[in-house]
Each structure stands twice: as structure tokens, then as C-alpha cells.
Amino acid sequence: MRSHNALLLIAVLGVMAYGVFLIGRWHKPAEEAPIQSYDALYSAVQAGNVTEIDIDDRKAKGKVKDGRAFSVDVPPDPELAEKLQAMAPEGALMTVRIRHKSYLETILGTMGTLAIPIVLLVLFWLFMMRQMQGTSSQALSFGRSRHKMLGENREKVTFADVAGMAEVKQELAEVVEFLRDPEKFRQLGAKIPRGVLLVGPPGCGKTLLARAIAGEAAVHFFYISGSDFVEMFVGVGASRVRDLFEQAKRQLPAIVFIDEIDAVGRQRGAGLGGGHDEREQTLNALLVEMDGFDPNADVILLAATNRPDILDPALLRPGRFDRRIVVDNPDVKEREAILTYYTKKKPLADDVDLDVLSRRTPGFTGADLENMCNEAALFAARHNQKEIDMAAFDEATDRVLAGPERKSRVIGEREKRILAYHEAGHALAANKLPDSDPIYKVSILPRGYALGYTIRLPAEDRYLTSRAQLLDTIGQMLGGRAAEQLVFDEMTTGAADDLEKATDLARQMVCEFGMSDAMGPLTFGRKHTPVFLARNLAEERNYSEDVAMRIDREIRHIIDGCYDRTTEILRDNRGQLDRLVEVLLDREVLDKEEVEALLAGEELPPLSQPVEPKPEETREEAPAREERKDDGSLGWKPAPHTT
């Protein structure tokens, strides 16, 4: 493209130079020629001032007595030379010569005059033709598939690189075995599965499993993203789907992997674009290629999504996606295997216990565990350590859960005490409520968007939650507000996030879980998921206004009951609350064992390392903080309490 632009610039400059040449040639100053017209030539000849004349077709060139040259236009008269000779006075020395151009000279002269414009026109024509050819080639490849094939230069991943997920790998290994030895299954009348859908939350390893299948199977592997099919022009996505399967059929057996298939496989009939919606046309082409009049033999479609609820039912039926494999969050054993895999090339200290780390990280996905191991390595490198110790993993866990620590934020003493009572209220309530999850860590150090946080982690993986556990969870969430009200007899904005989560959980208990004695085992409200937004934005109220009032009253009853219960616990254990706050103000961070020891009346051992001092406030900052103390506008907000 740069060469084309340079060529066009040269052509424009050539035209401009040629124009300047012609203008200079046509507009010569009149003072240079002593004779400027045909009449003046006659007068000069009659006066005897002309010494020589050369007549060339319609031009008469010559010189006058003082040696100056002239050139004038003359009429095409064959007897012009005799007339000029006759007009000269007797005795005048004037030579008249006639020169006729040959036919070849005339042609060459004309071509020389037109050569530069013709060359420029030819160059411009060639430039335009090349541009048109490039546009034509792009238009022809617009409907081609943008898939990629797994090459030899990529790192090979096998099932050995996928920790845990034994059942999932067994299902996928059977598909790989079918592609390697299809006759073994066909002898028993088994058919190759059309498609395999990997379903699970983000970060659980769906794409990693697809790469492992590609590494295990000695077949051609095509991979593409669902967004590569969607274009603004109707029909382009459908053309790319057909081209993708056509390329796969040429290299049988083959696996086609579509990542994030929900980008193209969403439910039809959304009302956007009518029947000519580009996404719907692409989905129709995909349905036909998977199971139509000409089904693709020995081509397995492997897809991954974390939103199976918005996929079209026609895409999920048997014959298209015969197998739906759920890739869920890893359990404690799988988390230990994942940690073992990601730490096998990292130097670990002797105090690192992967079993303890796996039990501290319930709900973590494989991506979270990989990120935690990487953050621990970075933490150790920042502190010039040769090995990664348990303290680095603790810091990495906090960083994944609550965000990076913000040591530069300065908190006033009064706000810091309120913050300590807020977090201590959460910790004490969690310890005293029998069905609440145990405390993992309590901190009043700013981290992420929060000025303090209390992290709760279940003792074991849990798949069902009882009503008592939900009520104790709400009570623990309200522990911060209850402690502020009990000690300072005022309310701050720090409990905003706690109140929002507690209210949502109470509403779910009443409207979704049927855990209300007053409302009974019923569900209220039918949620609709708009397929074009994939969000629960609309809810149909299938109940009356009277029932709505009863629902609000029951939610208020649950919140008030949990709040009163938590307040009573804090009031009865006020001494433990104050003791917890004093130690928290001194150490700023307390783990599970330290909290339990303090509540049991034990003394904590002295700190091995002094707490890093925070930068002191300047005198200009102090008055502003005192003003905020007086008006009560405390702008801190604790972190979400992770369950």
C-alpha cells in the first residue's frame, strides 16, 4: 500500500511539473522578441531590418540586424517565401529558407508532447486496477472461515496436564478413542457422538480440556471462537460455518472446537432483526451442518460455554450435542492436585502444606489457584526470597479474595476504631453463631476497595445449605452494624454492602427457597432471561399486591430477628468484643487460630516482626479529619464477606 501511495504522489508531481513547463513555454515575456506578430514581420522586412528567415510550416524564425531572434506565427501560404523576398528593399541582405518537416518528425513531435500525460494516465490506471483486485480478493475471502489448526509449533497439552476431573477426562478419552479406532465401536452398532458440550463456570478448565483432547487425539483439530462467526452482514456467519465444516470434511477424522458457543448459539426468537437476524442465520447453518440431510461423518463438534441456559433447545437436543459434560469447581482433592501441578516447578519452603491450602480455598477455580500460585511467587520475589513460604501463599490468598493491599491510605484514629469494632463484630458473631462458617482472617488494613474485611470460609465443600445456616449467615453479616450501634450508638456507611447482601439472601429465602413459615413452601416471581442480553432483567410478578406486602413483611421479620439475635450475642460477650478490638488495633490482622485463642481467654505470643509503620499525617490533613469526625460523615466501606 505504501508503494502505491508513493507511485501516485510521483504521478501528481510529474503532472504539476509538466504544467509548469507548458505555462512557462506559453507565457514568455514580450520583451525578448523584437518581432511579435505577422504584421510586424512584414514591416521589418520592408524596412530591411531582417537578416534571415527560416519558415517551418506555420512558424517563421529569424534574426534582425542587432542579432536578436524572433519567432512569429504565419499563415500556411506556399508562396510566403517569395512574397517576403519581394517585399525586401533592393540591396538588403536577407536570406529566406523554407524547411518542411517529414511525416516521421511530425509524429515524433506530437508523441513527445503527449508522452508525459499518457504515461501518467497509464500509471494511474495500473494503480486503480491493483486496488480493485485487492478489494475483490478481500470480498471473496470475507465468507471464509477464520478457524485455526493446531500446529506442531504449539505446546502440546495432554490429559496428564489436567489435574483432577477424573470423570470428565474419562468421558472425553472415550471420544478420542472413537476417533482413533472407530471400527471397535461400529462393530457393536455404536455411532460416533455428533457433539460434546463442556458446561461450567468461568475458569474451571473447559478450554484446557479441549487443548488436552487435541494433544491426545492423533487427528486434525480445528478451533475457532463463537464471535468469529458474527458479522454485521447477513449471511457471512452462515457462510463461515459451511466453510469450516467443509474444511474439516476434507481432513477426516477431525475435531472442531468452538469456544464460547453462546455468542452464536443463543436462543432464537429474540425479536431483534426478525427472521434475517445474522446470529439466527448462523445458528441455522450450524444446526444443519451438525444434523441435516447430509450429516458430517467422523467430524465431532466440541464446544464450551458458561451460559447453557441461553442456548437454543434445537442445538442441545440429542443428535447434535449428544453429550453434555459439566466441568464444575474442583473439590478439595482436586484443588490439591491442581496446586501440586502448578507448584511442581516452583521452589517451596518446608512449611508449605498443599493440603492446608486446598482446604483454605473452597470455591476457587483452577484459574484462581493458578493465579494464587503466581501471586505467591511474585510476593516471594519482591522480598528477595529463594523459596516460596506459607506466608507468601497467605498473602496471595488474600490478594485473590480481597484485592491488593493499600498501604498508602491513612485512616484516622476514630475511624480506625469504628472499623475495628465493625470487623470484630463480624468475627465474634461468626464464632458464637453455631451454624455460621468459621472465620479465616480479620483485617483492618485497606485492601482493594475496602478499608477492612472479614473472610469466612466453610470447613468443607458444601453443596446444600440449610435454613439455619442461612439465618446464621445473615446474622454474621449484620454483626458489623450491630457492633457499631452497640458501642458508638450511631450508624455509618460501612454496613451498606452487608445490608444489601443480607436483604438479598432474606428475599431468596422467602421467594425462591420456600423457607418462610408465614409464606409456606412457595416460590414467588418468575424470572425471564432476555436471550440477547443474557441477564435476569425482567421478573414477572405472579402474585397480588397483598402477597407482595406479606413478602416485604416477612423479609423485614427475618432481618430484624437476625439483627436482634446478633446484638444480644455481642452485648452478652462485650468483654470479648473489646479484647478482640484492642488486639486488632495493635496487630491489624488476625487469623482463625488467633481469633479463637483470644475468645478462649488466651494470650497471643509477641509478634516476630513489628508491624510496618504507616506514614504520618501532615498538619494540613489533620483538621480535615477532625471535621469529618464532628459531622459524622465516615466514608469507608468494608469488603464483601466472602463465603
Side-chain angles (χ1 to χ4, degrees):
M1 184 61 68
R2 293 183 178 179
S3 61
H4 295 166
N5 295 337
L7 187 61
L8 182 60
L9 179 62
I10 293 174
V12 172
L13 293 177
V15 171
M16 295 176 61
Y18 185 70
V20 172
F21 168 74
L22 292 179
I23 291 173
R25 183 177 178 183
W26 293 341
H27 298 82
K28 289 185 178 180
E31 297 77 24
E32 295 182 1
I35 301 175
Q36 301 178 9
S37 64
Y38 180 62
D39 294 337
L41 177 61
Y42 268 36
S43 301
V45 171
Q46 291 176 355
N49 292 331
V50 180
T51 58
E52 60 180 48
I53 299 176
D54 292 330
I55 300 175
D56 183 2
D57 291 339
R58 297 187 178 185
K59 277 286 185 182
K61 301 178 181 180
K63 293 182 180 180
V64 295
K65 287 184 177 181
D66 57 3
R68 290 184 298 167
F70 66 86
S71 175
V72 297
D73 295 327
V74 295
D77 188 359
E79 299 178 353
L80 180 60
E82 290 79 0
K83 292 180 179 179
L84 292 175
Q85 193 71 42
M87 292 169 58
E90 187 177 355
L93 299 176
M94 184 181 68
T95 304
V96 179
R97 295 184 295 271
I98 299 176
R99 181 175 180 275
H100 297 285
K101 286 185 178 180
S102 64
Y103 184 71
L104 180 60
E105 290 178 338
T106 304
I107 294 177
L108 292 177
T110 305
M111 291 182 63
T113 305
L114 301 176
I116 294 179
I118 291 175
V119 171
L120 295 178
L121 287 175
V122 170
L123 293 177
F124 182 74
W125 179 78
L126 292 175
F127 170 75
M128 294 301 296
M129 289 298 295
R130 296 192 63 176
Q131 290 292 104
M132 292 176 63
Q133 290 178 0
T135 305
S136 176
S137 62
Q138 293 178 2
L140 291 176
S141 63
F142 195 61
R144 299 292 300 275
S145 173
R146 296 183 178 180
H147 67 271
K148 299 178 182 178
M149 291 191 64
L150 192 68
E152 296 295 335
N153 56 345
R154 292 182 177 270
E155 181 182 0
K156 187 177 181 180
V157 178
T158 62
F159 285 145
D161 299 318
V162 181
M165 295 186 285
E167 294 85 358
V168 175
K169 290 191 290 186
Q170 182 179 356
E171 291 285 337
L172 297 177
E174 190 173 292
V175 175
V176 174
E177 186 179 359
F178 195 107
L179 291 174
R180 288 178 175 176
D181 187 13
E183 293 301 326
K184 171 184 175 182
F185 296 87
R186 288 172 180 169
Q187 289 177 359
L188 299 176
K191 295 182 180 179
I192 186 172
R194 302 284 184 183
V196 178
L197 182 63
L198 302 177
V199 179
C204 287
K206 299 183 294 296
T207 306
L208 180 63
L209 282 171
R211 294 176 58 192
I213 294 175
E216 292 284 346
V219 297
H220 297 90
F221 191 87
F222 300 80
Y223 60 98
I224 191 173
S225 173
S227 60
D228 291 332
F229 293 110
V230 182
E231 291 286 349
M232 64 178 295
F233 301 106
V234 176
V236 175
S239 175
R240 290 177 178 175
V241 169
R242 290 189 291 268
D243 182 70
L244 173 62
F245 280 88
E246 182 180 353
Q247 296 289 337
K249 284 188 289 185
R250 293 177 182 175
Q251 304 186 45
L252 296 178
I255 295 178
V256 176
F257 174 61
I258 301 179
D259 199 7
E260 303 297 342
I261 195 174
D262 51 274
V264 68
R266 293 179 181 177
Q267 185 174 353
R268 292 168 293 181
L272 298 179
H276 295 287
D277 184 24
E278 163 64 7
R279 185 178 289 109
E280 292 191 7
Q281 298 298 323
T282 307
L283 177 57
N284 292 336
L286 182 60
L287 296 176
V288 172
E289 291 294 337
M290 291 188 67
D291 187 20
F293 283 101
D294 184 20
N296 296 306
D298 296 340
V299 175
I300 294 181
L301 178 61
L302 185 66
T305 181
N306 51 25
R307 292 302 308 270
D309 54 317
I310 65 173
L311 295 180
D312 194 272
L315 187 64
L316 299 177
R317 72 162 178 84
R320 291 198 172 102
F321 279 110
D322 299 308
R323 296 190 179 183
R324 188 184 306 180
I325 300 177
V326 178
V327 185
D328 207 348
N329 290 337
D331 57 21
V332 59
K333 294 298 182 182
E334 292 175 338
R335 290 197 297 272
E336 184 177 359
I338 294 173
L339 289 173
T340 302
Y341 175 79
Y342 285 123
T343 57
K344 63 182 181 181
K345 296 183 180 180
K346 295 179 173 62
L348 301 181
D350 296 335
D351 62 341
V352 176
D353 191 344
L354 298 183
D355 179 67
V356 174
L357 288 177
S358 64
R359 297 182 183 278
R360 286 184 181 179
T361 53
F364 275 41
T365 64
D368 293 331
L369 295 174
E370 181 184 8
N371 186 28
M372 184 186 72
C373 295
N374 185 60
E375 290 291 344
L378 294 176
F379 179 83
R382 283 195 297 268
H383 290 77
N384 299 321
Q385 300 178 7
K386 300 299 182 180
E387 295 178 334
I388 306 174
D389 55 6
M390 202 64 176
F393 279 101
D394 291 340
E395 173 66 22
T397 304
D398 295 344
R399 192 180 185 91
V400 173
L401 289 174
E405 186 176 344
R406 303 176 64 183
K407 297 182 179 180
S408 60
R409 175 168 289 187
V410 180
I411 305 176
E413 290 298 327
R414 184 170 183 270
E415 290 185 359
K416 189 175 182 180
R417 180 166 289 273
I418 295 176
L419 176 61
Y421 270 101
H422 182 101
E423 302 302 336
H426 285 302
L428 184 59
N431 183 267
K432 299 300 181 181
L433 292 171
D435 293 311
S436 176
D437 293 329
I439 292 297
Y440 166 69
K441 182 170 289 188
V442 183
S443 174
I444 57 174
L445 291 177
R447 185 178 289 273
Y449 289 101
L451 297 183
Y453 58 93
T454 301
I455 301 176
R456 297 180 299 115
L457 295 177
E460 58 185 8
D461 293 329
R462 181 188 302 158
Y463 304 100
L464 295 176
T465 305
S466 65
R467 184 175 184 270
Q469 291 172 337
L470 292 177
L471 291 176
D472 285 357
T473 300
I474 295 176
Q476 191 273 340
M477 291 178 179
L478 300 175
R481 168 58 65 86
E484 295 176 13
Q485 189 74 24
L486 177 65
V487 177
F488 300 97
D489 195 21
E490 66 175 357
M491 295 176 287
T492 67
T493 59
D497 186 72
D498 301 326
L499 298 177
E500 179 182 357
K501 290 187 175 182
T503 305
D504 291 342
L505 187 55
R507 182 174 295 276
Q508 288 180 332
M509 292 178 62
V510 176
C511 299
E512 297 182 22
F513 305 149
M515 293 182 177
S516 170
D517 296 333
M519 304 307 298
L522 300 175
T523 61
F524 301 95
R526 184 180 297 112
K527 292 184 178 181
H528 296 280
T529 303
V531 296
F532 51 90
L533 290 179
R535 289 288 185 270
N536 294 327
L537 298 182
E539 180 179 357
E540 178 184 349
R541 292 185 56 176
N542 54 357
Y543 48 88
S544 63
E545 291 295 332
D546 179 66
V547 174
M549 293 179 60
R550 293 171 57 192
I551 290 174
D552 294 338
R553 191 180 301 116
E554 185 64 16
I555 294 174
R556 180 63 180 268
H557 175 71
I558 293 176
I559 295 295
D560 289 344
C562 294
Y563 184 80
D564 294 340
R565 183 186 180 193
T566 302
T567 303
E568 183 179 356
I569 291 175
L570 298 181
R571 185 182 294 112
D572 295 341
N573 299 274
R574 176 62 186 272
Q576 292 182 342
L577 179 64
D578 295 338
R579 172 61 177 163
L580 197 61
V581 168
E582 294 302 324
V583 178
L584 189 60
L585 289 173
D586 180 43
R587 302 200 176 203
E588 296 183 334
V589 179
L590 296 175
D591 57 19
K592 176 184 176 181
E593 290 76 13
E594 293 173 336
V595 171
E596 293 178 350
L598 288 173
L599 296 181
E602 301 176 4
E603 293 291 334
L604 298 182
L607 293 174
S608 58
Q609 294 180 356
V611 179
E612 183 179 354
K614 293 187 176 181
E616 298 181 357
E617 296 180 346
T618 60
R619 294 185 177 180
E620 290 78 12
E621 293 175 341
R625 292 189 178 276
E626 292 298 329
E627 293 175 2
R628 289 200 298 272
K629 292 178 183 179
D630 295 337
D631 62 15
S633 58
L634 306 178
W636 56 271
K637 181 177 179 182
H641 302 286
T642 306
T643 301

